[in-house]
Amino acid sequence: MLTTDQDLERFLDEHRESRLESYKELLRIPSISALPQHAADCRATAEWIAADLRTSGIEHIEVAETGGHPVVYGDWLHAEGAPTVIVYCHYDVQPVDPLDLWTSAPFEPAVVGDRILARGSGDDKGQLHMHLRATEALLATRGRLPVNLKFLFEGEEESGSVNLDRWLEAEQERLSADLVVISDTGFFEGNLPAITIALRGLMYAQIDVVGTDVDLHSGGYGGAVQNPANALAQIIAALKGPDGRIRIPGFYDDVVALTDEERAAVAALPFDEDAYLARLGLPALVGEAGYSTLERRGVRPTLDVNGMWSGFQGDGAKTIIPAHAHAKVSCRLVSNQDHARIFEQFRAYVEEIAPPGVTTTVRDLHGGKPSHTPSDHPATQAAARALAATFGQEPVYIREGGSIPVCASFEEILGLPVVLLGFVPPNQNAHAPNEWMSLTNYELGIRAVVRMWDELASLDPADVRVPG
């Protein structure tokens, strides 16, 4: 016989302090997947998670090799007749630069009021930790889970998930399920509970402009040779027009426009543009003409320079023509846009507009596909009921501008619908200094995960398995 929710709540209350210490312990491991010097830290994080799952009572635990950072797998499959859910989070984190802008050490968690500050506190270790603690509480108080769970925690999401698709292909039989729940998204403006029903895809590339083998004296060679930094600036300036439209030929060919009903739903979201602008501290918002701010940041494709470097950058003056210049450029993509095709269009256009006198090359670094699960899907509605029951208000449905390439991988490789059940505040400084997580969201998020499994347990697995 199942214990009552009061028993589970009592367990969570009694373990609040130890739960926070466990959270901090996980955050202290600098699992930066993009930096090779942190490979051992990524593996240590995977082993930490595996040990935690084992202690809670999860079975068949494996720190599985991928060719890069390992994935952590574990399952509990004793809920006969109930849906089987893959729970996905990632344990790797972004680099911490610029370090001087942090108010506390990025890997020494600091609690300030209702916030816990640390790299990964929200994206995504905090949300992973919610699933660990929800599982622990359920097994400790009920002795079983309402649904069958297969945990899949990745270590390369922040560096492109370059090995995950291959691993998913090889493990399709073990990963047989009805649904995937991903906790790597957040709430809407004002910290309103939200369910993300669509994510943009990603094309990420690097432009390399090379002149001579070494820097040249600008007095002796200026006016006679092409300056790679100037050439790169010319290329970058030609990628977008003053109306915000991307000039790459064919870029918009596959974009699926929102219906009038979908645009109305976006417009109806409780978004205070003035408050949004004030929080950013900017003089104005800009973007593609003819679209609202919410549409530009969530449902339209984009092109942005993510970094540029060339020449002398120290104090004082050094009069040179740099030998080379570089830029990293990303495009956020929407439904039906393919990152491989967009990269080829991008490469061809850059090569076409590149000025003479230098060698310009374009490299494809990584990419991911867009994802969409309708708001009326039975599993999406189960998530909505879980959020409403724990946070006290109905969630809004949003389309996020970020990318989680694994969403499309689960849909295409495993044929499974995906529900994005995330809990981070919208202004939590993801990927930036002073990343933070609301401890209220964290605590209620644990309870929402429990409620989600209870809601799904009442559904027929065949209904849950319906593609998005």
Side-chain angles (χ1 to χ4, degrees):
M1 181 178 179
L2 299 185
T3 56
T4 65
D5 285 343
Q6 285 78 13
D7 292 332
L8 188 140
E9 192 63 42
R10 187 181 306 112
F11 177 90
L12 290 173
D13 285 344
E14 290 173 353
H15 291 82
R16 186 179 294 266
E17 290 302 317
S18 61
R19 183 163 60 250
L20 180 59
E21 288 308 309
S22 172
Y23 187 8
K24 290 180 179 179
E25 186 177 329
L26 179 60
L27 293 174
R28 289 190 180 103
I29 311 174
S31 52
I32 306 172
S33 61
L35 301 180
Q37 61 268 37
H38 287 286
D41 295 311
C42 290
R43 185 167 294 275
T45 307
E47 296 288 357
W48 189 99
I49 294 167
D52 192 282
L53 288 169
R54 192 173 293 112
T55 300
S56 293
I58 300 304
E59 303 167 340
H60 308 121
I61 295 164
E62 180 185 358
V63 177
E65 301 303 326
T66 65
H69 304 305
V71 300
V72 182
Y73 175 86
D75 60 41
W76 190 94
L77 305 175
H78 305 290
E80 186 175 353
T84 298
V85 183
I86 294 175
V87 178
Y88 170 93
C89 300
H90 65 88
Y91 65 78
D92 63 319
V93 300
Q94 282 274 321
V96 297
D97 309 276
L99 190 58
D100 61 321
L101 294 183
W102 286 81
T103 58
S104 56
F107 293 108
E108 186 48 57
V111 175
V112 181
D114 184 51
R115 298 182 177 188
I116 181 167
L117 278 69
R119 174 59 86 227
S121 54
D123 184 19
D124 188 33
K125 285 182 176 178
Q127 306 201 72
L128 187 157
H129 199 258
M130 292 180 206
H131 280 282
L132 295 179
R133 300 287 68 81
T135 302
E136 174 193 44
L138 279 167
L139 289 173
T141 58
R142 299 184 184 178
R144 59 183 292 106
L145 300 177
V147 293
N148 302 294
L149 295 183
K150 296 183 177 182
F151 296 93
L152 174 55
F153 298 140
E154 187 196 359
E156 296 183 325
E157 196 275 342
E158 298 290 14
S159 53
S161 296
V162 293
N163 292 292
L164 188 63
D165 279 8
R166 189 185 313 112
W167 191 84
L168 292 177
E169 292 275 6
E171 298 291 338
Q172 289 186 60
E173 184 175 349
R174 175 159 59 161
L175 297 174
S176 173
D178 302 304
L179 172 72
V180 179
V181 169
I182 295 178
S183 292
D184 192 19
T185 52
F187 281 10
F188 190 62
E189 299 298 318
N191 201 32
L192 295 177
I195 296 176
T196 300
I197 59 171
L199 289 165
R200 293 190 289 198
L202 179 69
M203 186 284 295
Y204 200 101
Q206 180 166 317
I207 303 173
D208 301 304
V209 181
V210 179
T212 52
D213 291 337
V214 296
D215 296 344
L216 299 176
H217 191 299
S218 65
Y221 294 91
V225 301
Q226 179 66 265
N227 185 313
N230 290 356
L232 178 61
Q234 184 175 326
I235 293 168
I236 295 299
L239 293 175
K240 294 170 72 173
D243 61 353
R245 293 275 293 183
I246 296 160
R247 290 172 165 169
I248 299 169
F251 183 85
Y252 293 99
D253 286 355
D254 296 326
V255 171
V256 178
L258 293 187
T259 64
D260 291 343
E261 182 181 4
E262 289 171 327
R263 291 195 77 175
V266 173
L269 290 170
F271 179 63
D272 187 332
E273 188 161 306
D274 291 338
Y276 179 72
L277 180 61
R279 190 178 78 238
L280 291 172
L282 295 172
L285 297 173
V286 301
E288 185 182 4
Y291 296 93
S292 69
T293 297
L294 286 182
E295 289 174 330
R296 295 197 305 263
R297 80 175 200 182
V299 300
R300 293 295 295 169
T302 66
L303 184 150
D304 286 292
V305 176
N306 305 125
M308 298 175 66
W309 65 101
S310 180
F312 178 66
Q313 298 169 48
D315 294 333
K318 185 180 183 184
T319 51
I320 61 165
I321 294 173
H324 49 80
H326 312 270
K328 293 183 186 292
V329 179
S330 66
C331 293
R332 300 289 177 169
L333 310 176
V334 297
S335 293
N336 281 20
Q337 285 187 300
D338 178 74
H339 62 90
R341 182 179 180 190
I342 293 296
F343 170 76
E344 289 302 324
Q345 293 172 336
F346 174 75
R347 179 191 56 75
Y349 184 61
V350 169
E351 291 177 354
E352 176 187 337
I353 63 176
V358 289
T359 300
T360 301
T361 57
V362 184
R363 291 186 282 155
D364 187 358
L365 299 186
H366 66 261
K369 296 181 179 180
S371 175
H372 178 224
T373 299
S375 59
D376 60 357
H377 190 282
T380 306
Q381 286 301 301
R385 292 191 296 273
L387 284 172
T390 50
F391 284 85
Q393 59 187 126
E394 295 292 330
V396 295
Y397 298 98
I398 61 176
R399 296 167 181 263
E400 270 297 337
S403 305
I404 305 178
V406 73
C407 287
S409 298
F410 285 129
E411 292 167 354
E412 295 186 355
I413 297 172
L414 302 182
L416 297 177
V418 174
V419 171
L420 296 159
L421 182 65
F423 305 97
V424 295
N427 57 336
Q428 53 112 13
N429 293 338
H431 296 199
N434 301 316
E435 178 182 349
W436 62 278
M437 178 65 186
S438 160
L439 288 173
T440 297
N441 285 26
Y442 168 80
E443 287 292 337
L444 291 177
I446 294 170
R447 291 151 173 86
V449 169
V450 170
R451 188 62 177 252
M452 174 69 171
W453 304 152
D454 282 339
E455 292 286 346
L456 285 176
S458 66
L459 300 179
D460 188 314
D463 294 333
V464 173
R465 200 180 306 122
V466 174

